Amino acid sequence: MTKGSNAALSALSENTGSVIVSLGWSSPAGDGDADVSVLLLGPNGKVRSDADFYFYNNPVAADGSVHLLDKTPTEDGNEDRISFDLTVVPPEVDRVVVAASRYGDAHFGELDDLRVTLSDAVGENLLRFAVDDPGKVSAIIFGELYRREGQWKFRAVGQGYAAGLAGLATDFGVDIDDEAEAADEDAAGTAPAATPEPAGNGEPAGPPSHSVPEPDPAETLNAVPAPRRTADETRPRRPAARPRTAKKRAAPPSAPQKSLGENDSWRPARLFPLSALKSDRDREMRATSVLLSVMTQVPRFGRRLTAAFGAPSGRMETFTEVSLPHGDTPRRPDGVIRIERAGKLWTALVETKTNGNALKADQVQAYMDIAARRGYEAVITLSNDVALEGTPLVDVRIDRRRKHQVALWHLSWAEVAHQAQLLIRHEGVGNAARTWLLQELLHYLQHENSGCHGFQNMGSSWVPVRNGINDETLCQGDPRALEVVESWERLIRQVCLRLGGELGQKVLPAQRVRRGTDHGTRRIQLADQLCLEGRLQAQLRVEEAPGLLTVGADLRTGRLRTSVEIPAPEQGYPLSWAKRLVRRLAEAPADLHVETLVEGDALGPRGTLERLRPEPADLLPKNGTQITGFRLSLLKGMGSTRGNTESGFIRSVDDAVHRFYTSVVVHLDGPVARRTPLPSKSDVAR
């Protein structure tokens, strides 16, 4: 699409009752990020109330019409997705504005390939609009959905706002509560209640503003008795909270209560026992039943898992071991999810695998055919494997000639555990009983006998590739190197899920590739690099971290390196920077490596934290070269085996990232603007 053009959704697909709008971008440095937002506008072009403003502090509409989903990594950046159920958008809403903003001093001119795509309920991309040359604006309206003669249309907008998210929302009638006002309110909330100043007679100057004046006795006798007012009615009404664009900080989990058992051998009773699981079939049946039952009893959790698949918000029921006709032999999918909304049904078949069991293409194909014949909307596969962008886990044949199309989606057990952990530890689900149910589910998934541990095997090519690197016999183009690169990418995505669940913050892989490079080409390049250098490397973008977290595995030396680069402050003196950094790292490991980054290709001073603590000045370059930042690194031995055991490679990577973040990164300041280099003498002369 071009700027200003529009298209009717019904002309592009028959499955546009619910749609997914994805806002995407890429970053040359790999660390760029943005946040989506949505505004529902009435006929006057304004929101009906502040509740019509959906953003990172208000991500879900109560009626299910809007749901801001998690970010999804792509080959050269990220996509932030929004699920719209257009069938339940209130009739008084004429337009739905889709925008994005950057936080702090960042602007969209620092990002590349800004784009918006719209896909239908089965995942088919219908529209794409690219925003060219956005300039130094911190908010952009990418597009809008609007009604015209009873139909929904999409218009490509591409309008920037220099005033950021708060300015954009204010223009559409939202009453924004900025950070200064929020701080004032918080301070007032912790202060004692104010007492009116006494008058000259020692009595209060007057009644509080909410007090009721004494009625006239004569009027009282002749009046009809009124119903007794409840305590809630007599209490003064508090004004509705105004939206705050300052990002909420995730609340740390509360400490668990002390057990009443006499010792650790007393095991608490569990809702979902695991001792009776003897076979993989038992594990699949139990895991499916446990998950689907909790999804119905904890609606927010069920909605969190199904919204990304285009499911509407409504009454959910789940079933297991349902027999469906298929030729001469009926098929029994592991589960069925049905959601009712406004008299319409959305149905998905569920196929589950546990442990290292792979999905079978013939099984999934049969369920796709059954769903198409019966008018179901989706087939959801669930296993320990992690799907990669552009690389389907199973190859199925989709008949595009059918009028009814079925969407195929995949969910990993690691993603299920991640969403449960976010709700338990950081966001909440409404009451103690639902929280307990989620805790029981999470305990079940994390138990060694459940078979739902997530990605847990680097594959059969891991040992031959590692040996080939050590023997220098691994050649470029070896398909086994490509398999290891794909397994490494799956592992990194799982590490992001686990760390993000613990922190309550977004953790995503950051890609540094050229714009337009497809998934296959990028992975082939990484496989060739592995053959030449013997190293695997990835970068993680952690929300509110000072920089990208880099994790690398050197297969030649058998060591893992986790590191982060911190830009130099824009003000102050280099010695002050060094001293402050060492003070911030007072509780960091003594073997932490600290390196000074300087302009050009020269190497700066470096040393362990143990040696630098008494002499922070050792971090300063001797020749006065300008400091651009600091690099902090931890080294540890990597696991050798391909599995997830104590000595396995997967466990060692997970532990290394967790240790580095909790012992180093948490002590650092949040993101800062990158220091602008001073102009050289030649530049000044010009």
Side-chain angles (χ1 to χ4, degrees):
M1 299 182 69
T2 58
K3 187 173 183 178
S5 61
N6 61 73
L9 302 187
S10 59
L12 302 173
S13 172
E14 298 180 352
N15 303 298
T16 55
S18 62
V19 297
I20 300 288
V21 175
S22 302
L23 307 186
W25 54 84
S26 61
S27 171
D31 57 355
D33 195 12
D35 298 289
V36 299
S37 54
V38 173
L39 297 109
L40 306 186
L41 308 182
N44 62 348
K46 304 288 185 181
V47 295
R48 299 168 300 167
S49 70
D50 291 344
D52 284 341
F53 177 36
Y54 300 98
F55 62 119
Y56 40 75
N57 287 342
N58 180 36
V60 183
D63 60 5
S65 58
V66 181
H67 191 147
L68 273 58
L69 307 174
D70 290 336
K71 289 181 171 63
T72 300
T74 62
E75 72 276 9
D76 57 354
N78 288 287
E79 282 190 346
D80 214 342
R81 300 172 300 154
I82 312 164
S83 172
F84 291 102
D85 188 349
L86 300 179
T87 62
V88 297
V89 174
E92 59 269 22
V93 172
D94 281 357
R95 294 161 54 202
V96 179
V97 172
V98 180
S101 60
R102 302 203 68 192
Y103 201 63
D105 297 328
H107 57 82
F108 279 95
E110 300 167 336
L111 302 180
D112 295 335
D113 194 21
L114 295 174
R115 62 197 182 275
V116 56
T117 58
L118 185 146
S119 57
D120 61 12
V122 298
E124 191 75 22
N125 285 339
L126 305 180
L127 300 171
R128 188 181 192 278
F129 167 55
V131 179
D132 298 324
D133 191 20
K136 293 186 177 182
V137 296
S138 53
I140 291 181
I141 297 178
F142 280 74
E144 61 182 18
L145 293 158
Y146 64 98
R147 301 182 199 261
R148 189 67 80 239
E149 298 178 353
Q151 293 187 344
W152 283 101
K153 291 188 172 185
F154 181 83
R155 179 184 291 116
V157 179
Q159 177 184 347
Y161 276 77
L165 179 60
L168 183 150
T170 302
D171 279 359
F172 287 108
V174 181
D175 187 12
I176 293 296
D177 185 5
D178 60 20
E179 291 186 73
E181 290 172 323
D184 292 342
E185 286 186 12
D186 291 341
T190 57
T195 303
E197 290 293 329
N201 58 3
E203 296 295 323
S209 60
H210 59 271
S211 63
V212 180
E214 290 292 330
D216 184 274
E219 293 180 1
T220 305
L221 292 173
N222 297 328
V224 177
R228 180 178 298 174
R229 296 199 296 174
T230 64
D232 288 341
E233 291 174 328
T234 58
R235 187 180 298 118
R237 292 181 178 271
R238 297 182 61 184
R242 294 149 59 198
R244 296 178 180 174
T245 58
K247 289 193 176 182
K248 294 179 179 178
R249 292 185 177 272
S254 57
Q257 291 185 339
K258 184 179 179 181
S259 172
L260 299 181
E262 291 185 0
N263 52 57
D264 292 341
S265 66
W266 287 34
R267 298 181 179 179
R270 292 292 179 185
L271 182 64
F272 308 122
L274 295 108
S275 57
L277 300 177
K278 302 299 183 183
S279 66
D280 286 339
R281 183 57 184 160
D282 290 341
R283 292 184 180 88
E284 290 174 6
M285 294 174 61
R286 178 72 61 84
T288 306
S289 182
V290 167
L291 173 62
L292 297 185
S293 63
V294 173
M295 287 172 62
T296 60
Q297 297 304 313
V298 187
R300 188 171 182 182
F301 176 65
R303 177 63 182 157
R304 183 71 67 87
L305 293 182
T306 57
F309 305 147
S313 174
R315 183 173 69 92
M316 177 187 295
E317 284 192 30
T318 55
F319 309 86
T320 59
E321 296 296 306
V322 175
S323 179
L324 297 173
H326 182 66
D328 297 332
T329 306
R331 293 279 184 161
R332 291 180 177 270
D334 293 313
V336 178
I337 301 173
R338 301 204 93 173
I339 301 174
E340 182 187 32
R341 181 77 187 192
K344 297 181 180 180
L345 285 176
W346 182 92
T347 307
L349 305 181
V350 180
E351 171 63 11
T352 303
K353 295 296 180 184
T354 57
N355 281 331
N357 298 315
L359 295 163
K360 297 179 179 179
D362 59 337
Q363 275 188 324
V364 178
Q365 183 69 65
Y367 296 142
M368 291 288 287
D369 294 341
I370 292 173
R373 287 199 306 269
R374 301 180 71 86
Y376 297 163
E377 281 71 25
V379 172
I380 300 172
T381 58
L382 187 59
S383 72
N384 282 320
D385 212 342
V386 178
L388 299 181
E389 195 77 17
T391 306
L393 289 176
V394 289
D395 292 322
V396 296
R397 183 184 67 259
I398 299 178
D399 189 352
R400 298 295 180 186
R401 297 172 299 177
R402 289 183 183 270
K403 182 178 180 180
H404 180 77
Q405 296 294 318
V406 179
L408 176 61
W409 305 97
H410 179 73
L411 191 64
S412 72
W413 286 113
E415 174 70 18
V416 174
H418 166 76
Q419 297 294 350
Q421 197 169 29
L422 279 180
L423 291 173
I424 293 170
R425 295 168 63 99
H426 305 286
E427 299 178 17
V429 291
N431 61 49
R434 290 173 177 173
T435 301
W436 177 73
L437 276 175
L438 273 184
Q439 289 172 335
E440 290 297 297
L441 170 65
L442 190 60
H443 176 269
Y444 179 91
L445 297 178
Q446 294 176 340
H447 194 279
E448 59 184 10
N449 198 31
S450 70
C452 306
H453 310 125
F455 180 72
Q456 55 185 351
N457 197 313
M458 290 294 291
S460 58
S461 298
W462 170 250
V463 173
V465 167
R466 193 191 62 204
N467 292 338
I469 289 173
N470 289 332
D471 300 338
E472 298 185 0
T473 57
L474 187 66
C475 301
Q476 288 181 307
D478 193 320
R480 295 175 298 181
L482 182 59
E483 292 178 15
V484 169
V485 166
E486 292 178 344
S487 296
W488 170 254
E489 188 173 336
R490 291 185 171 96
L491 171 58
I492 292 301
R493 293 201 177 190
Q494 179 165 283
V495 168
C496 290
L497 290 173
R498 289 180 176 174
L499 184 61
E502 292 183 13
L503 302 178
Q505 297 170 345
K506 292 184 176 66
V507 182
L508 294 168
Q511 306 287 359
R512 291 176 181 262
V513 294
R514 293 182 178 178
R515 176 178 174 179
T517 305
D518 61 31
H519 310 284
T521 302
R522 177 178 60 84
R523 294 181 185 124
I524 290 174
Q525 292 172 351
L526 293 176
D528 290 342
Q529 185 178 348
L530 172 63
C531 297
L532 290 174
E533 302 176 2
R535 288 195 298 266
L536 294 166
Q537 183 168 300
Q539 291 184 310
L540 282 59
R541 187 174 64 250
V542 184
E543 192 174 25
E544 298 186 5
L548 293 177
L549 193 157
T550 301
V551 53
D554 193 326
L555 276 63
R556 286 195 174 99
T557 62
R559 293 200 302 177
L560 293 170
R561 176 187 292 269
T562 45
S563 63
V564 64
E565 292 186 7
I566 311 168
E570 292 193 349
Q571 297 179 348
Y573 296 95
L575 181 58
S576 301
W577 304 342
K579 288 181 177 180
R580 187 173 188 277
L581 177 62
V582 171
R583 285 197 303 269
R584 300 284 295 184
L585 298 172
E587 299 181 12
D591 60 343
L592 177 70
H593 286 243
V594 184
E595 177 186 357
T596 303
L597 305 177
V598 297
E599 282 188 331
D601 299 329
L603 298 177
R606 65 188 67 191
T608 62
L609 187 59
E610 183 178 24
R611 184 177 68 81
L612 293 170
R613 276 172 175 155
E615 293 293 339
D618 289 348
L619 284 172
L620 304 183
K622 302 302 181 184
N623 55 2
T625 307
Q626 183 175 331
I627 296 176
T628 60
F630 300 93
R631 181 186 293 120
L632 311 179
S633 307
L634 272 181
L635 300 173
K636 74 180 294 287
M638 74 180 196
S640 56
T641 61
R642 68 184 188 182
N644 195 28
T645 60
E646 290 291 339
S647 61
F649 177 73
I650 293 175
R651 182 75 59 87
S652 66
V653 173
D654 209 0
D655 291 345
V657 173
H658 182 270
R659 177 181 179 239
F660 184 72
Y661 190 90
T662 56
S663 64
V664 178
V665 179
V666 292
H667 302 301
L668 304 174
D669 294 328
V672 296
R674 294 189 178 273
R675 194 170 190 272
T676 304
L678 295 175
S680 63
K681 293 182 179 180
S682 59
D683 292 333
V684 174
R686 292 187 193 139

